[in-house]
């Protein structure tokens, strides 16, 4: 009886050890699977981080057409890609608006420059015209002065002729 109980105790112990070994083996396999999954995720994250870094460098260099792709494997990386893409789209819009504004300012500047050239040319023409008018005015003034002087001379002659006529008549 004691030997039977001893045999049953050993059998029970053997079964418990076998169960513990099986559980340890299952835990080891699960740990290996988890380790492999963790290594795979680590590799994925490293690859994505490198890809995202390259895209960021291209954007920083001025190529705002670059976008990050979302693989759906890691929610955090997908959120980063979504946020970054949204930020770059806004930056691209702002840059486009600034370029448009610069073009408008450049065009307005060209128009102002052209207007200034036109005004300058017109001013020069007006100045030339004023100069010609001034010269013509001086010439006319001199003619009028000479004509006035000649008329004074003629008036004096008429007065002398009239005085001679009155004295000779």
């Amino acid at each position: 009886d004691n030997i039977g109980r001893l045999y049953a105790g050993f059998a029970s112990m053997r079964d418990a050890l076998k169960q513990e070994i099986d559980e340890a083996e299952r835990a080891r396999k699960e740990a290996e699977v988890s380790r492999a999954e963790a290594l795979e995720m680590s590799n994925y994250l490293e690859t994505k981080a490198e890809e995202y870094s390259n895209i960021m460098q291209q954007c920083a260099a001025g190529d705002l057409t670059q976008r990050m792709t979302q693989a759906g494997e890691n929610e955090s990386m997908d959120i980063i890609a979504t946020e970054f893409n949204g930020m770059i789209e806004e930056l691209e819009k702002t840059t486009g608006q600034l370029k448009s504004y610069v073009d408008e300012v450049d065009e307005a500047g060209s128009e102002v420059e052209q207007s200034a050239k036109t005004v300058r040319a017109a001013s020069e023409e007006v100045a030339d015209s004023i100069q010609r008018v001034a010269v013509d005015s001086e010439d006319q003034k001199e003619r009028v002065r000479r004509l006035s002087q000649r008329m004074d001379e003629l008036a004096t002659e008429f007065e002398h002729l009239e005085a001679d006529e009155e004295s000779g008549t």
Side-chain angles (χ1 to χ4, degrees):
D1 234 12
N2 282 335
I3 292 182
R5 277 187 267 174
L6 184 62
Y7 181 76
F10 278 125
S12 174
M13 194 179 354
R14 180 196 71 220
D15 290 344
L17 280 173
K18 187 175 184 202
Q19 187 177 4
E20 284 184 34
I21 290 172
D22 287 345
E23 286 178 17
E25 184 64 28
R26 258 192 314 272
R28 185 187 64 75
K29 286 181 182 177
E30 286 176 9
E32 285 178 8
V33 168
S34 293
R35 183 179 173 279
E37 288 174 354
L39 184 59
E40 185 179 318
M41 182 56 72
S42 175
N43 289 337
Y44 168 79
L45 291 174
E46 190 173 312
T47 301
K48 265 305 182 189
E50 195 172 303
E51 176 188 328
Y52 286 2
S53 176
N54 289 335
I55 290 171
M56 286 181 206
Q57 288 174 357
Q58 289 172 352
C59 288
D63 183 3
L64 300 180
T65 62
Q66 296 296 314
R67 297 294 184 270
M68 293 181 178
T69 57
Q70 301 169 10
E73 295 217 11
N74 184 279
E75 185 178 349
S76 296
M77 294 304 271
D78 288 347
I79 289 171
I80 289 170
T82 300
E83 294 296 320
F84 179 83
N85 291 343
M87 177 187 69
I88 292 299
E89 285 174 18
E90 286 299 316
L91 185 59
E92 193 173 26
K93 285 179 192 174
T94 302
T95 303
Q97 290 170 343
L98 285 173
K99 285 180 182 177
S100 176
Y101 178 72
V102 165
D103 290 344
E104 288 175 22
V105 168
D106 187 42
E107 185 178 321
S110 294
E111 289 175 9
V112 167
E113 184 179 353
Q114 185 61 38
S115 294
K117 287 179 182 178
T118 302
V119 166
R120 188 176 313 118
S123 294
E124 288 173 3
E125 286 178 22
V126 167
D128 288 345
S129 294
I130 289 173
Q131 183 65 32
R132 282 193 302 270
V133 167
V135 168
D136 289 347
S137 176
E138 279 296 317
D139 289 347
Q140 296 253 344
K141 185 177 167 185
E142 181 60 30
R143 278 192 228 140
V144 168
R145 189 188 62 72
R146 282 190 305 225
L147 185 59
S148 175
Q149 187 178 17
R150 181 70 180 136
M151 288 182 79
D152 286 345
E153 289 172 2
L154 285 174
T156 305
E157 280 184 35
F158 280 130
E159 285 175 6
H160 287 295
L161 281 175
E162 194 178 310
D164 286 344
E165 223 175 82
E166 284 180 13
S167 52
T169 1

